[in-house]
Amino acid sequence: MDLPVWQIIVLAIVQGVAEFLPISSSGHLVVLATLLDADADHFDLVGLNIVLHAGTLGSILVVYRQQLYEALTKDRRLLLLLVVATIPAVIAALVLKATDTDSLLESPLVAGICFLVTGTILLLSQRLPQTERTYEQTSWSQAWWIGCAQALAILPGISRSGSTICSGQALGLSREGAATFSFLMAVPAILGAITLKVAKSIGDWDHASKTPAWLLLLGAAISFVVGWFSLVLLIKVVQRGRLHWFAWWCFAVGLFVIAWQATID
């Protein structure tokens, strides 16, 4: 039984909005997929999650094309910093793969608890001191610790953008500098996840995903367009120091999900 087109559209819109706004796209996808009864009989949730992330990856490539071009052609130090920042996520992914914890990554209850963690992080962000340190001035140790924050965002409900931007500010980067570094380091992280999925699917494409290819492409396209607008919006929110506003959404969703899961036998 194929997943209805409207469900793919809804999931793609949620991905495009939540990937950049600090409210956790993976957490929302896990919760929404469960509410829509989009279980394993319909499609591979982890696989769809990665495809939708590919769409939002395109948004980053467009918005930050100049910074990425400079990193690839001129600023080799920045390129190495992004590599360092990606290492913690690679380690976390390998550990999760070795322990076969897909059920953990698809658990609404885990997402609900982690939403509360994200909300707390965002609320505390307004207390962080402001500096003028740009993303080009990121140190090696700062890159590593921001990468550790990104690794934690593998858990559903932990916002990747929220945790990395807030950690960047806490470590001394400016608001805009932390946001820019956060989204630049998202590129290798998302590419790595996509590569792992493709490698796993080689030789077994017919069973790689229970969702038709054209639906996956539709979802990726929608998440790209919505993600583009969301990313531009978030940049403005960060510049104005209003990141903590999203904490209340995370608290509300987290408490709802926990209460909902508590009523399930």
Side-chain angles (χ1 to χ4, degrees):
M1 180 179 178
D2 294 336
L3 191 68
V5 176
W6 72 269
Q7 291 191 8
I8 289 286
I9 293 174
V10 169
L11 291 170
I13 292 174
V14 170
Q15 167 64 23
V17 171
E19 172 65 20
F20 300 120
L21 301 186
I23 55 177
S24 179
S25 60
S26 60
H28 278 78
L29 287 176
V30 166
V31 172
L32 188 56
T34 305
L35 288 172
L36 295 175
D37 194 28
D39 55 28
D41 291 333
H42 291 96
F43 69 108
D44 176 5
L45 179 57
V46 175
L48 179 62
N49 198 325
I50 291 175
V51 170
L52 297 184
H53 273 77
T56 47
L57 171 61
S59 304
I60 300 175
L61 297 179
V62 171
V63 175
Y64 286 104
R65 58 188 179 279
Q66 181 178 348
Q67 293 89 337
L68 288 168
Y69 175 77
E70 292 179 354
L72 291 172
T73 60
K74 301 177 182 178
D75 194 348
R76 297 300 173 85
R77 179 180 180 274
L78 176 59
L79 190 60
L80 291 175
L81 283 171
L82 296 177
V83 172
V84 170
T86 304
I87 292 175
V90 172
I91 295 173
L94 292 175
V95 170
L96 289 175
K97 182 179 180 181
T99 53
D100 190 23
T101 54
D102 279 355
S103 59
L104 179 68
L105 300 181
E106 298 180 17
S107 169
L109 181 58
V110 171
I113 295 172
C114 289
F115 274 126
L116 301 184
V117 175
T118 294
T120 301
I121 292 172
L122 296 176
L123 205 57
L124 292 175
S125 69
Q126 65 183 132
R127 298 178 176 273
L128 296 175
Q130 301 307 312
T131 72
E132 300 298 323
R133 194 181 183 97
T134 66
Y135 73 94
E136 295 99 334
Q137 297 174 306
T138 303
S139 69
W140 299 104
S141 61
Q142 287 173 329
W144 171 262
W145 289 114
I146 297 173
C148 289
Q150 178 171 255
L152 289 176
I154 290 178
L155 294 173
I158 299 294
S159 167
R160 197 209 65 82
S161 63
S163 61
T164 53
I165 292 174
C166 290
S167 64
Q169 288 184 250
L171 290 167
L173 295 181
S174 66
R175 290 169 179 163
E176 190 169 355
T180 300
F181 192 78
S182 168
F183 291 116
L184 291 179
M185 65 188 281
V187 174
I190 297 175
L191 279 175
I194 294 172
T195 300
L196 287 175
K197 181 64 179 178
V198 171
K200 183 179 179 181
S201 302
I202 291 177
D204 192 26
W205 181 253
D206 289 340
H207 302 287
S209 175
K210 298 180 179 66
T211 305
W214 74 271
L215 278 179
L216 293 177
L217 290 174
L218 174 64
I222 294 174
S223 65
F224 165 73
V225 174
V226 176
W228 189 346
F229 286 101
S230 298
L231 180 53
V232 172
L233 172 63
L234 179 66
I235 293 172
K236 294 180 180 179
V237 170
V238 170
Q239 291 173 338
R240 295 174 182 175
R242 300 291 187 265
L243 204 62
H244 61 280
W245 283 359
F246 296 98
W248 306 112
W249 174 265
C250 292
F251 286 140
V253 174
L255 292 174
F256 163 77
V257 172
I258 292 173
W260 161 45
Q261 288 295 293
T263 64
I264 298 177
D265 294 332

